[in-house]
Amino acid sequence: DGGITQSPKYLFRKEGQNVTLSCEQNLNHDAMYWYRQDPGQGLRLIYYSQIVNDFQKGDIAEGYSVSREKKESFPLTVTSAQKNPTAFYLCASSSGRIVDYGYTFGSGTRLTVV
Amino acid sequence: AQSVSQHNHHVILSEAASLELGCNYSYGGTVNLFWYVQYPGQHLQLLLKYFSGDPLVKGIKGFEAEFIKSKFSFNLRKPSVQWSDTAEYFCAVNEGTNAGKSTFGDGTTLTVKP
């Protein structure tokens, strides 16, 4: 079945460390997105990519980095510069066609800084 | 910047009651509108979407939403809720020219009592 796979499901990081969250899709979708979900704050966009080798900052990109070297993969690195990284991270994809902007979501990665 | 408001953070209903969840957005141009649902322990999934045409759109599981352009609203409705509708509901908006990039509301948690 087609879908989005996020790994790991739970991740613990020590302060000062960078960590990379994986997101892989086999839907042949052009566009991929990273959102952060905090309790009571909904989803906030970190980065998005509409095509391979291109990506744009979202509303809360500071302290994060991404790459899009392959269509199916969009990893997110949470750097030590991110002041409050403990959160639930969601990856999503869409076909990119204007008539089909609905997202398919992964199951998320819960990151905790210890 | 685009903003999306969901007025109710937590709604509690008895089975068979009618449901209406409010969603208002701020962008004055062409928009694509979405409702997503997250059932306990499951991925976020698309419930319904409006792109153009009939402002009353129907989604899965008996949900519908009405786009009222003059009120910048896209309220979600269901005539008779079931216990299985217990979930968190998110409204999301794409600006027409901002291909694929969605702004989400803070979410509404619906609890249906059996």
Side-chain angles (χ1 to χ4, degrees):
Chain A
D1 285 339
I4 296 181
T5 301
Q6 288 188 245
S7 61
K9 191 170 183 178
Y10 298 96
L11 186 58
F12 296 88
R13 187 195 93 174
K14 291 183 179 179
E15 286 200 27
Q17 286 182 335
N18 293 355
V19 289
T20 298
L21 283 58
S22 170
C23 178
E24 304 275 334
Q25 55 101 355
N26 61 3
L27 299 164
N28 199 34
H29 282 172
D30 288 315
M32 297 186 74
Y33 312 85
W34 276 104
Y35 283 86
R36 170 178 170 143
Q37 186 177 15
D38 294 285
Q41 293 191 49
L43 280 70
R44 292 181 291 166
L45 182 64
I46 304 172
Y47 268 98
Y48 65 106
S49 168
Q50 294 175 292
I51 197 168
V52 175
N53 292 322
D54 188 39
F55 49 82
Q56 286 78 41
K57 292 182 179 180
D59 300 319
I60 56 165
E62 185 175 350
Y64 300 98
S65 66
V66 294
S67 62
R68 186 87 187 277
E69 297 175 1
K70 298 185 296 182
K71 187 175 185 177
E72 58 269 24
S73 179
F74 192 41
L76 174 74
T77 297
V78 184
T79 75
S80 56
Q82 169 48 234
K83 304 239 182 285
N84 185 21
T86 294
F88 189 57
Y89 291 88
L90 282 167
C91 180
S93 71
S94 72
S95 71
R97 297 182 308 140
I98 192 167
V99 297
D100 188 28
Y101 279 167
Y103 289 173
T104 300
F105 281 94
S107 58
T109 293
R110 188 167 298 281
L111 172 64
T112 303
V113 174
V114 297
Chain B
Q2 171 74 267
S3 66
V4 179
S5 297
Q6 292 184 239
H7 313 298
N8 312 102
H9 293 293
H10 195 181
V11 173
I12 302 172
L13 296 172
S14 297
E15 276 194 314
S18 64
L19 170 72
E20 181 160 2
L21 301 182
C23 174
N24 286 90
Y25 61 92
S26 61
Y27 184 67
T30 302
V31 291
N32 303 312
L33 300 156
F34 309 85
W35 277 97
Y36 292 86
V37 59
Q38 188 168 29
Y39 297 104
Q42 295 188 25
H43 297 193
L44 265 166
Q45 58 184 285
L46 184 66
L47 194 57
L48 49 77
K49 65 183 177 184
Y50 171 80
F51 168 63
S52 64
D54 188 344
L56 184 63
V57 292
K58 295 190 184 298
I60 60 173
K61 304 188 180 186
F63 285 91
E64 64 179 31
E66 185 176 14
F67 170 49
I68 302 179
K69 189 174 181 179
S70 61
K71 295 185 178 180
F72 298 88
S73 70
F74 190 55
N75 292 355
L76 181 71
R77 300 196 293 247
K78 186 171 184 180
S80 176
V81 295
Q82 301 173 309
W83 176 79
S84 58
D85 293 325
T86 294
E88 190 160 18
Y89 294 81
F90 292 91
C91 180
V93 177
N94 281 22
E95 297 172 24
T97 56
N98 239 331
K101 184 168 79 102
S102 289
T103 300
F104 285 77
D106 290 345
T108 297
T109 301
L110 171 66
T111 301
V112 180
K113 295 179 178 178

